[in-house]
PDB file of all heavy atoms in Angstrom:
ATOM      1  N   ALA A   8     163.818 136.549  75.133  1.00 97.00           N
ATOM      2  CA  ALA A   8     164.165 135.236  75.584  1.00 97.00           C
ATOM      3  C   ALA A   8     163.322 134.282  74.719  1.00 97.00           C
ATOM      4  O   ALA A   8     162.153 134.394  74.435  1.00 97.00           O
ATOM      5  CB  ALA A   8     163.861 135.042  77.019  1.00 97.00           C
ATOM      6  N   MET A   9     164.057 133.042  74.564  1.00 98.00           N
ATOM      7  CA  MET A   9     163.286 131.881  73.863  1.00 98.00           C
ATOM      8  C   MET A   9     163.391 130.736  74.826  1.00 98.00           C
ATOM      9  O   MET A   9     164.409 130.555  75.579  1.00 98.00           O
ATOM     10  CB  MET A   9     164.010 131.579  72.552  1.00 98.00           C
ATOM     11  CG  MET A   9     163.882 132.677  71.463  1.00 98.00           C
ATOM     12  SD  MET A   9     162.115 133.081  71.055  1.00 98.00           S
ATOM     13  CE  MET A   9     161.712 131.500  70.240  1.00 98.00           C
ATOM     14  N   ARG A  10     162.277 129.937  74.746  1.00 98.00           N
ATOM     15  CA  ARG A  10     162.169 128.864  75.729  1.00 98.00           C
ATOM     16  C   ARG A  10     161.593 127.568  75.113  1.00 98.00           C
ATOM     17  O   ARG A  10     160.995 127.605  74.091  1.00 98.00           O
ATOM     18  CB  ARG A  10     161.236 129.101  76.870  1.00 98.00           C
ATOM     19  CG  ARG A  10     161.592 130.497  77.619  1.00 98.00           C
ATOM     20  CD  ARG A  10     160.519 130.907  78.573  1.00 98.00           C
ATOM     21  NE  ARG A  10     160.662 132.169  79.076  1.00 98.00           N
ATOM     22  CZ  ARG A  10     160.489 133.432  78.627  1.00 98.00           C
ATOM     23  NH1 ARG A  10     159.881 133.348  77.324  1.00 98.00           N
ATOM     24  NH2 ARG A  10     160.698 134.537  79.169  1.00 98.00           N
ATOM     25  N   TRP A  11     162.043 126.437  75.643  1.00 98.00           N
ATOM     26  CA  TRP A  11     161.445 125.160  75.231  1.00 98.00           C
ATOM     27  C   TRP A  11     160.648 124.680  76.439  1.00 98.00           C
ATOM     28  O   TRP A  11     161.292 124.511  77.577  1.00 98.00           O
ATOM     29  CB  TRP A  11     162.415 124.162  74.768  1.00 98.00           C
ATOM     30  CG  TRP A  11     162.884 124.389  73.379  1.00 98.00           C
ATOM     31  CD1 TRP A  11     164.109 125.016  73.037  1.00 98.00           C
ATOM     32  CD2 TRP A  11     162.249 123.999  72.161  1.00 98.00           C
ATOM     33  NE1 TRP A  11     164.200 125.093  71.647  1.00 98.00           N
ATOM     34  CE2 TRP A  11     163.124 124.385  71.115  1.00 98.00           C
ATOM     35  CE3 TRP A  11     161.105 123.329  71.900  1.00 98.00           C
ATOM     36  CZ2 TRP A  11     162.870 124.215  69.748  1.00 98.00           C
ATOM     37  CZ3 TRP A  11     160.823 123.091  70.489  1.00 98.00           C
ATOM     38  CH2 TRP A  11     161.631 123.511  69.443  1.00 98.00           C
ATOM     39  N   TYR A  12     159.372 124.280  76.315  1.00 98.00           N
ATOM     40  CA  TYR A  12     158.514 123.705  77.308  1.00 98.00           C
ATOM     41  C   TYR A  12     158.198 122.192  76.726  1.00 98.00           C
ATOM     42  O   TYR A  12     158.240 121.974  75.634  1.00 98.00           O
ATOM     43  CB  TYR A  12     157.257 124.460  77.522  1.00 98.00           C
ATOM     44  CG  TYR A  12     157.383 125.739  78.296  1.00 98.00           C
ATOM     45  CD1 TYR A  12     157.793 126.877  77.736  1.00 98.00           C
ATOM     46  CD2 TYR A  12     157.181 125.793  79.658  1.00 98.00           C
ATOM     47  CE1 TYR A  12     157.914 128.063  78.432  1.00 98.00           C
ATOM     48  CE2 TYR A  12     157.241 126.969  80.353  1.00 98.00           C
ATOM     49  CZ  TYR A  12     157.631 128.059  79.728  1.00 98.00           C
ATOM     50  OH  TYR A  12     157.764 129.263  80.466  1.00 98.00           O
ATOM     51  N   ARG A  13     157.730 121.393  77.684  1.00 98.00           N
ATOM     52  CA  ARG A  13     157.316 120.190  77.352  1.00 98.00           C
ATOM     53  C   ARG A  13     156.067 119.684  78.166  1.00 98.00           C
ATOM     54  O   ARG A  13     156.051 120.285  79.308  1.00 98.00           O
ATOM     55  CB  ARG A  13     158.353 119.041  77.369  1.00 98.00           C
ATOM     56  CG  ARG A  13     158.783 118.670  78.765  1.00 98.00           C
ATOM     57  CD  ARG A  13     159.938 117.762  78.670  1.00 98.00           C
ATOM     58  NE  ARG A  13     160.390 117.258  79.918  1.00 98.00           N
ATOM     59  CZ  ARG A  13     161.428 116.522  80.065  1.00 98.00           C
ATOM     60  NH1 ARG A  13     162.111 116.023  79.037  1.00 98.00           N
ATOM     61  NH2 ARG A  13     161.843 116.197  81.324  1.00 98.00           N
ATOM     62  N   GLN A  14     155.126 118.983  77.648  1.00 98.00           N
ATOM     63  CA  GLN A  14     153.997 118.469  78.380  1.00 98.00           C
ATOM     64  C   GLN A  14     153.745 117.107  78.055  1.00 98.00           C
ATOM     65  O   GLN A  14     153.313 116.758  76.971  1.00 98.00           O
ATOM     66  CB  GLN A  14     152.765 119.401  78.203  1.00 98.00           C
ATOM     67  CG  GLN A  14     151.580 119.089  78.965  1.00 98.00           C
ATOM     68  CD  GLN A  14     150.463 120.220  79.000  1.00 98.00           C
ATOM     69  OE1 GLN A  14     150.417 120.830  78.026  1.00 98.00           O
ATOM     70  NE2 GLN A  14     149.765 120.318  80.092  1.00 98.00           N
ATOM     71  N   ALA A  15     153.753 116.202  78.982  1.00 97.00           N
ATOM     72  CA  ALA A  15     153.373 114.868  78.857  1.00 97.00           C
ATOM     73  C   ALA A  15     151.910 114.629  79.366  1.00 97.00           C
ATOM     74  O   ALA A  15     151.324 115.329  80.190  1.00 97.00           O
ATOM     75  CB  ALA A  15     154.318 113.936  79.694  1.00 97.00           C
ATOM     76  N   PRO A  16     151.325 113.547  78.746  1.00 93.00           N
ATOM     77  CA  PRO A  16     149.973 113.345  79.149  1.00 93.00           C
ATOM     78  C   PRO A  16     149.760 113.239  80.681  1.00 93.00           C
ATOM     79  O   PRO A  16     150.566 112.462  81.334  1.00 93.00           O
ATOM     80  CB  PRO A  16     149.521 111.977  78.511  1.00 93.00           C
ATOM     81  CG  PRO A  16     150.436 112.006  77.280  1.00 93.00           C
ATOM     82  CD  PRO A  16     151.764 112.652  77.781  1.00 93.00           C
ATOM     83  N   GLY A  17     148.769 113.877  81.249  1.00 95.00           N
ATOM     84  CA  GLY A  17     148.563 113.804  82.727  1.00 95.00           C
ATOM     85  C   GLY A  17     149.451 114.623  83.476  1.00 95.00           C
ATOM     86  O   GLY A  17     149.466 114.655  84.744  1.00 95.00           O
ATOM     87  N   LYS A  18     150.337 115.360  82.930  1.00 97.00           N
ATOM     88  CA  LYS A  18     151.447 116.193  83.637  1.00 97.00           C
ATOM     89  C   LYS A  18     151.334 117.681  83.286  1.00 97.00           C
ATOM     90  O   LYS A  18     150.768 117.964  82.286  1.00 97.00           O
ATOM     91  CB  LYS A  18     152.748 115.693  83.369  1.00 97.00           C
ATOM     92  CG  LYS A  18     153.153 114.326  83.869  1.00 97.00           C
ATOM     93  CD  LYS A  18     154.587 113.916  83.652  1.00 97.00           C
ATOM     94  CE  LYS A  18     154.933 112.562  84.137  1.00 97.00           C
ATOM     95  NZ  LYS A  18     156.401 112.289  83.955  1.00 97.00           N
ATOM     96  N   GLN A  19     151.739 118.413  84.225  1.00 97.00           N
ATOM     97  CA  GLN A  19     151.845 119.898  83.998  1.00 97.00           C
ATOM     98  C   GLN A  19     152.918 120.270  82.938  1.00 97.00           C
ATOM     99  O   GLN A  19     153.921 119.585  82.831  1.00 97.00           O
ATOM    100  CB  GLN A  19     151.995 120.761  85.157  1.00 97.00           C
ATOM    101  CG  GLN A  19     150.890 120.594  86.291  1.00 97.00           C
ATOM    102  CD  GLN A  19     151.152 121.433  87.558  1.00 97.00           C
ATOM    103  OE1 GLN A  19     152.271 121.897  87.630  1.00 97.00           O
ATOM    104  NE2 GLN A  19     150.049 121.737  88.324  1.00 97.00           N
ATOM    105  N   ARG A  20     152.648 121.296  82.125  1.00 98.00           N
ATOM    106  CA  ARG A  20     153.693 121.813  81.275  1.00 98.00           C
ATOM    107  C   ARG A  20     154.949 122.334  82.086  1.00 98.00           C
ATOM    108  O   ARG A  20     154.736 123.050  83.083  1.00 98.00           O
ATOM    109  CB  ARG A  20     153.048 122.928  80.404  1.00 98.00           C
ATOM    110  CG  ARG A  20     154.045 123.332  79.401  1.00 98.00           C
ATOM    111  CD  ARG A  20     153.392 124.229  78.362  1.00 98.00           C
ATOM    112  NE  ARG A  20     152.251 123.533  77.594  1.00 98.00           N
ATOM    113  CZ  ARG A  20     151.591 124.131  76.623  1.00 98.00           C
ATOM    114  NH1 ARG A  20     151.873 125.336  76.276  1.00 98.00           N
ATOM    115  NH2 ARG A  20     150.646 123.416  76.064  1.00 98.00           N
ATOM    116  N   GLU A  21     156.102 121.962  81.728  1.00 98.00           N
ATOM    117  CA  GLU A  21     157.211 122.342  82.320  1.00 98.00           C
ATOM    118  C   GLU A  21     158.210 122.891  81.514  1.00 98.00           C
ATOM    119  O   GLU A  21     158.343 122.757  80.300  1.00 98.00           O
ATOM    120  CB  GLU A  21     157.929 121.150  83.091  1.00 98.00           C
ATOM    121  CG  GLU A  21     158.449 120.035  82.179  1.00 98.00           C
ATOM    122  CD  GLU A  21     159.246 118.938  82.908  1.00 98.00           C
ATOM    123  OE1 GLU A  21     159.753 119.255  83.964  1.00 98.00           O
ATOM    124  OE2 GLU A  21     159.290 117.894  82.265  1.00 98.00           O
ATOM    125  N   LEU A  22     158.992 123.925  82.044  1.00 98.00           N
ATOM    126  CA  LEU A  22     160.071 124.640  81.367  1.00 98.00           C
ATOM    127  C   LEU A  22     161.274 123.645  81.289  1.00 98.00           C
ATOM    128  O   LEU A  22     161.725 123.155  82.265  1.00 98.00           O
ATOM    129  CB  LEU A  22     160.328 125.952  82.065  1.00 98.00           C
ATOM    130  CG  LEU A  22     161.659 126.736  81.393  1.00 98.00           C
ATOM    131  CD1 LEU A  22     161.210 127.175  80.046  1.00 98.00           C
ATOM    132  CD2 LEU A  22     162.027 127.864  82.380  1.00 98.00           C
ATOM    133  N   VAL A  23     161.725 123.437  80.069  1.00 98.00           N
ATOM    134  CA  VAL A  23     162.892 122.583  79.769  1.00 98.00           C
ATOM    135  C   VAL A  23     164.125 123.366  79.635  1.00 98.00           C
ATOM    136  O   VAL A  23     165.278 122.978  80.277  1.00 98.00           O
ATOM    137  CB  VAL A  23     162.712 121.740  78.594  1.00 98.00           C
ATOM    138  CG1 VAL A  23     163.827 120.883  78.218  1.00 98.00           C
ATOM    139  CG2 VAL A  23     161.519 120.849  78.612  1.00 98.00           C
ATOM    140  N   ALA A  24     164.142 124.401  78.866  1.00 98.00           N
ATOM    141  CA  ALA A  24     165.415 125.083  78.636  1.00 98.00           C
ATOM    142  C   ALA A  24     165.071 126.642  78.280  1.00 98.00           C
ATOM    143  O   ALA A  24     164.082 126.925  77.683  1.00 98.00           O
ATOM    144  CB  ALA A  24     166.276 124.535  77.652  1.00 98.00           C
ATOM    145  N   ALA A  25     165.898 127.521  78.488  1.00 98.00           N
ATOM    146  CA  ALA A  25     165.709 128.906  78.080  1.00 98.00           C
ATOM    147  C   ALA A  25     166.984 129.586  77.579  1.00 98.00           C
ATOM    148  O   ALA A  25     168.064 129.151  78.159  1.00 98.00           O
ATOM    149  CB  ALA A  25     165.145 129.658  79.292  1.00 98.00           C
ATOM    150  N   ILE A  26     166.846 130.451  76.754  1.00 98.00           N
ATOM    151  CA  ILE A  26     168.003 131.327  76.355  1.00 98.00           C
ATOM    152  C   ILE A  26     167.705 132.702  76.206  1.00 98.00           C
ATOM    153  O   ILE A  26     166.519 133.035  75.652  1.00 98.00           O
ATOM    154  CB  ILE A  26     168.683 130.673  75.068  1.00 98.00           C
ATOM    155  CG1 ILE A  26     169.940 131.447  74.648  1.00 98.00           C
ATOM    156  CG2 ILE A  26     167.624 130.827  73.689  1.00 98.00           C
ATOM    157  CD1 ILE A  26     170.723 130.683  73.487  1.00 98.00           C
ATOM    158  N   THR A  27     168.503 133.626  76.679  1.00 96.00           N
ATOM    159  CA  THR A  27     168.285 135.010  76.555  1.00 96.00           C
ATOM    160  C   THR A  27     168.894 135.655  75.311  1.00 96.00           C
ATOM    161  O   THR A  27     169.701 134.930  74.599  1.00 96.00           O
ATOM    162  CB  THR A  27     168.816 135.876  77.676  1.00 96.00           C
ATOM    163  OG1 THR A  27     170.197 135.849  77.724  1.00 96.00           O
ATOM    164  CG2 THR A  27     168.302 135.241  79.025  1.00 96.00           C
ATOM    165  N   SER A  28     168.576 136.821  74.900  1.00 93.00           N
ATOM    166  CA  SER A  28     169.220 137.457  73.727  1.00 93.00           C
ATOM    167  C   SER A  28     170.733 137.641  73.890  1.00 93.00           C
ATOM    168  O   SER A  28     171.387 137.746  72.947  1.00 93.00           O
ATOM    169  CB  SER A  28     168.538 138.845  73.519  1.00 93.00           C
ATOM    170  OG  SER A  28     168.658 139.728  74.558  1.00 93.00           O
ATOM    171  N   GLY A  29     171.177 137.700  75.266  1.00 93.00           N
ATOM    172  CA  GLY A  29     172.543 137.775  75.578  1.00 93.00           C
ATOM    173  C   GLY A  29     173.314 136.473  75.490  1.00 93.00           C
ATOM    174  O   GLY A  29     174.563 136.495  75.630  1.00 93.00           O
ATOM    175  N   GLY A  30     172.489 135.364  75.256  1.00 95.00           N
ATOM    176  CA  GLY A  30     173.197 134.078  75.214  1.00 95.00           C
ATOM    177  C   GLY A  30     173.166 133.295  76.523  1.00 95.00           C
ATOM    178  O   GLY A  30     173.649 132.093  76.477  1.00 95.00           O
ATOM    179  N   SER A  31     172.583 133.730  77.540  1.00 97.00           N
ATOM    180  CA  SER A  31     172.571 133.121  78.807  1.00 97.00           C
ATOM    181  C   SER A  31     171.566 131.807  78.642  1.00 97.00           C
ATOM    182  O   SER A  31     170.487 132.098  78.099  1.00 97.00           O
ATOM    183  CB  SER A  31     172.233 133.957  80.023  1.00 97.00           C
ATOM    184  OG  SER A  31     173.167 135.062  80.189  1.00 97.00           O
ATOM    185  N   THR A  32     171.916 130.797  79.265  1.00 98.00           N
ATOM    186  CA  THR A  32     171.001 129.592  79.188  1.00 98.00           C
ATOM    187  C   THR A  32     170.711 129.052  80.448  1.00 98.00           C
ATOM    188  O   THR A  32     171.445 129.223  81.511  1.00 98.00           O
ATOM    189  CB  THR A  32     171.637 128.493  78.297  1.00 98.00           C
ATOM    190  OG1 THR A  32     172.911 128.060  78.945  1.00 98.00           O
ATOM    191  CG2 THR A  32     171.781 128.966  76.892  1.00 98.00           C
ATOM    192  N   ASN A  33     169.607 128.384  80.524  1.00 98.00           N
ATOM    193  CA  ASN A  33     169.241 127.641  81.890  1.00 98.00           C
ATOM    194  C   ASN A  33     168.393 126.362  81.529  1.00 98.00           C
ATOM    195  O   ASN A  33     167.794 126.423  80.373  1.00 98.00           O
ATOM    196  CB  ASN A  33     168.332 128.686  82.623  1.00 98.00           C
ATOM    197  CG  ASN A  33     168.065 128.129  84.051  1.00 98.00           C
ATOM    198  OD1 ASN A  33     168.996 127.594  84.714  1.00 98.00           O
ATOM    199  ND2 ASN A  33     166.872 128.403  84.655  1.00 98.00           N
ATOM    200  N   TYR A  34     168.493 125.343  82.324  1.00 98.00           N
ATOM    201  CA  TYR A  34     167.951 124.111  82.022  1.00 98.00           C
ATOM    202  C   TYR A  34     167.280 123.518  83.196  1.00 98.00           C
ATOM    203  O   TYR A  34     167.713 123.673  84.455  1.00 98.00           O
ATOM    204  CB  TYR A  34     169.040 123.148  81.594  1.00 98.00           C
ATOM    205  CG  TYR A  34     169.727 123.615  80.374  1.00 98.00           C
ATOM    206  CD1 TYR A  34     170.916 124.301  80.469  1.00 98.00           C
ATOM    207  CD2 TYR A  34     169.296 123.182  78.974  1.00 98.00           C
ATOM    208  CE1 TYR A  34     171.606 124.632  79.272  1.00 98.00           C
ATOM    209  CE2 TYR A  34     169.951 123.582  77.951  1.00 98.00           C
ATOM    210  CZ  TYR A  34     171.146 124.250  78.003  1.00 98.00           C
ATOM    211  OH  TYR A  34     171.760 124.674  76.856  1.00 98.00           O
ATOM    212  N   ALA A  35     166.193 122.747  83.023  1.00 98.00           N
ATOM    213  CA  ALA A  35     165.624 121.848  84.118  1.00 98.00           C
ATOM    214  C   ALA A  35     166.692 120.944  84.494  1.00 98.00           C
ATOM    215  O   ALA A  35     167.446 120.331  83.785  1.00 98.00           O
ATOM    216  CB  ALA A  35     164.416 121.282  83.612  1.00 98.00           C
ATOM    217  N   ASP A  36     166.641 120.630  85.868  1.00 98.00           N
ATOM    218  CA  ASP A  36     167.589 119.587  86.376  1.00 98.00           C
ATOM    219  C   ASP A  36     167.505 118.278  85.659  1.00 98.00           C
ATOM    220  O   ASP A  36     168.494 117.627  85.415  1.00 98.00           O
ATOM    221  CB  ASP A  36     167.418 119.433  87.905  1.00 98.00           C
ATOM    222  CG  ASP A  36     167.841 120.673  88.614  1.00 98.00           C
ATOM    223  OD1 ASP A  36     168.567 121.403  88.225  1.00 98.00           O
ATOM    224  OD2 ASP A  36     167.360 120.762  89.822  1.00 98.00           O
ATOM    225  N   SER A  37     166.267 117.897  85.233  1.00 98.00           N
ATOM    226  CA  SER A  37     166.065 116.617  84.630  1.00 98.00           C
ATOM    227  C   SER A  37     166.745 116.405  83.333  1.00 98.00           C
ATOM    228  O   SER A  37     167.009 115.364  82.882  1.00 98.00           O
ATOM    229  CB  SER A  37     164.522 116.413  84.515  1.00 98.00           C
ATOM    230  OG  SER A  37     164.084 117.360  83.747  1.00 98.00           O
ATOM    231  N   VAL A  38     167.070 117.521  82.617  1.00 98.00           N
ATOM    232  CA  VAL A  38     167.768 117.503  81.339  1.00 98.00           C
ATOM    233  C   VAL A  38     169.055 118.058  81.237  1.00 98.00           C
ATOM    234  O   VAL A  38     169.730 117.923  80.309  1.00 98.00           O
ATOM    235  CB  VAL A  38     166.759 118.163  80.236  1.00 98.00           C
ATOM    236  CG1 VAL A  38     165.429 117.763  80.337  1.00 98.00           C
ATOM    237  CG2 VAL A  38     166.878 119.705  80.435  1.00 98.00           C
ATOM    238  N   LYS A  39     169.478 118.674  82.353  1.00 98.00           N
ATOM    239  CA  LYS A  39     170.885 119.255  82.366  1.00 98.00           C
ATOM    240  C   LYS A  39     172.033 118.325  82.130  1.00 98.00           C
ATOM    241  O   LYS A  39     171.932 117.135  82.649  1.00 98.00           O
ATOM    242  CB  LYS A  39     171.106 119.871  83.779  1.00 98.00           C
ATOM    243  CG  LYS A  39     172.218 120.778  83.913  1.00 98.00           C
ATOM    244  CD  LYS A  39     172.261 121.589  85.264  1.00 98.00           C
ATOM    245  CE  LYS A  39     171.112 122.445  85.468  1.00 98.00           C
ATOM    246  NZ  LYS A  39     171.082 123.211  86.800  1.00 98.00           N
ATOM    247  N   GLY A  40     172.803 118.665  81.247  1.00 98.00           N
ATOM    248  CA  GLY A  40     173.870 117.744  80.722  1.00 98.00           C
ATOM    249  C   GLY A  40     173.639 116.919  79.590  1.00 98.00           C
ATOM    250  O   GLY A  40     174.398 116.419  78.946  1.00 98.00           O
ATOM    251  N   ARG A  41     172.317 116.828  79.199  1.00 98.00           N
ATOM    252  CA  ARG A  41     171.804 116.040  78.128  1.00 98.00           C
ATOM    253  C   ARG A  41     171.291 116.928  76.931  1.00 98.00           C
ATOM    254  O   ARG A  41     171.380 116.609  75.776  1.00 98.00           O
ATOM    255  CB  ARG A  41     170.744 115.036  78.583  1.00 98.00           C
ATOM    256  CG  ARG A  41     171.189 114.050  79.583  1.00 98.00           C
ATOM    257  CD  ARG A  41     170.185 112.985  79.799  1.00 98.00           C
ATOM    258  NE  ARG A  41     168.871 113.526  80.317  1.00 98.00           N
ATOM    259  CZ  ARG A  41     167.742 113.472  79.821  1.00 98.00           C
ATOM    260  NH1 ARG A  41     167.578 112.780  78.645  1.00 98.00           N
ATOM    261  NH2 ARG A  41     166.683 113.959  80.272  1.00 98.00           N
ATOM    262  N   PHE A  42     170.543 118.009  77.410  1.00 98.00           N
ATOM    263  CA  PHE A  42     170.000 118.834  76.385  1.00 98.00           C
ATOM    264  C   PHE A  42     170.753 120.172  76.202  1.00 98.00           C
ATOM    265  O   PHE A  42     171.368 120.662  77.127  1.00 98.00           O
ATOM    266  CB  PHE A  42     168.492 119.279  76.782  1.00 98.00           C
ATOM    267  CG  PHE A  42     167.575 118.092  76.637  1.00 98.00           C
ATOM    268  CD1 PHE A  42     167.907 116.814  76.467  1.00 98.00           C
ATOM    269  CD2 PHE A  42     166.198 118.400  76.849  1.00 98.00           C
ATOM    270  CE1 PHE A  42     167.062 115.793  76.452  1.00 98.00           C
ATOM    271  CE2 PHE A  42     165.282 117.388  76.701  1.00 98.00           C
ATOM    272  CZ  PHE A  42     165.707 116.074  76.668  1.00 98.00           C
ATOM    273  N   THR A  43     170.746 120.863  75.008  1.00 98.00           N
ATOM    274  CA  THR A  43     171.416 122.040  74.762  1.00 98.00           C
ATOM    275  C   THR A  43     170.503 122.993  73.933  1.00 98.00           C
ATOM    276  O   THR A  43     170.115 122.516  72.940  1.00 98.00           O
ATOM    277  CB  THR A  43     172.720 121.884  74.026  1.00 98.00           C
ATOM    278  OG1 THR A  43     173.614 121.031  74.802  1.00 98.00           O
ATOM    279  CG2 THR A  43     173.416 123.231  73.915  1.00 98.00           C
ATOM    280  N   ILE A  44     170.249 124.140  74.452  1.00 98.00           N
ATOM    281  CA  ILE A  44     169.441 125.152  73.704  1.00 98.00           C
ATOM    282  C   ILE A  44     170.384 126.125  73.029  1.00 98.00           C
ATOM    283  O   ILE A  44     171.392 126.522  73.630  1.00 98.00           O
ATOM    284  CB  ILE A  44     168.428 125.803  74.618  1.00 98.00           C
ATOM    285  CG1 ILE A  44     167.494 126.818  73.763  1.00 98.00           C
ATOM    286  CG2 ILE A  44     169.140 126.708  75.789  1.00 98.00           C
ATOM    287  CD1 ILE A  44     166.355 127.330  74.580  1.00 98.00           C
ATOM    288  N   SER A  45     170.146 126.524  71.786  1.00 98.00           N
ATOM    289  CA  SER A  45     170.935 127.396  71.053  1.00 98.00           C
ATOM    290  C   SER A  45     170.061 128.263  70.200  1.00 98.00           C
ATOM    291  O   SER A  45     168.991 127.813  69.791  1.00 98.00           O
ATOM    292  CB  SER A  45     172.078 126.686  70.291  1.00 98.00           C
ATOM    293  OG  SER A  45     171.589 125.802  69.308  1.00 98.00           O
ATOM    294  N   ALA A  46     170.631 129.349  69.647  1.00 96.00           N
ATOM    295  CA  ALA A  46     169.943 130.182  68.783  1.00 96.00           C
ATOM    296  C   ALA A  46     170.732 130.624  67.704  1.00 96.00           C
ATOM    297  O   ALA A  46     171.997 131.042  67.868  1.00 96.00           O
ATOM    298  CB  ALA A  46     169.390 131.422  69.498  1.00 96.00           C
TER     299      ALA A  46
END
C-alpha cells in the first residue's frame, strides 16, 4: 500500500489518501472529491 500524509504546524499528522496494490483507494473526508491518488 502507498499513502499520502500531511502535517500542518501545530497539528497531528493525518492520513490524506491511500492506495493498495490492487488499486483500491481511500480518502480523508476533508479531501474527498478534490484529491485523487494513483500509481
Side-chain angles (χ1 to χ4, degrees):
M9 298 295 296
R10 309 168 184 87
W11 285 97
Y12 287 82
R13 68 184 181 187
Q14 187 167 28
K18 294 185 178 180
Q19 294 184 342
R20 186 170 298 186
E21 65 173 335
L22 177 65
V23 176
I26 185 168
T27 69
S28 60
S31 298
T32 59
N33 193 36
Y34 301 92
D36 288 341
S37 59
V38 307
K39 193 171 298 181
R41 299 187 298 120
F42 291 11
T43 302
I44 187 171
S45 62

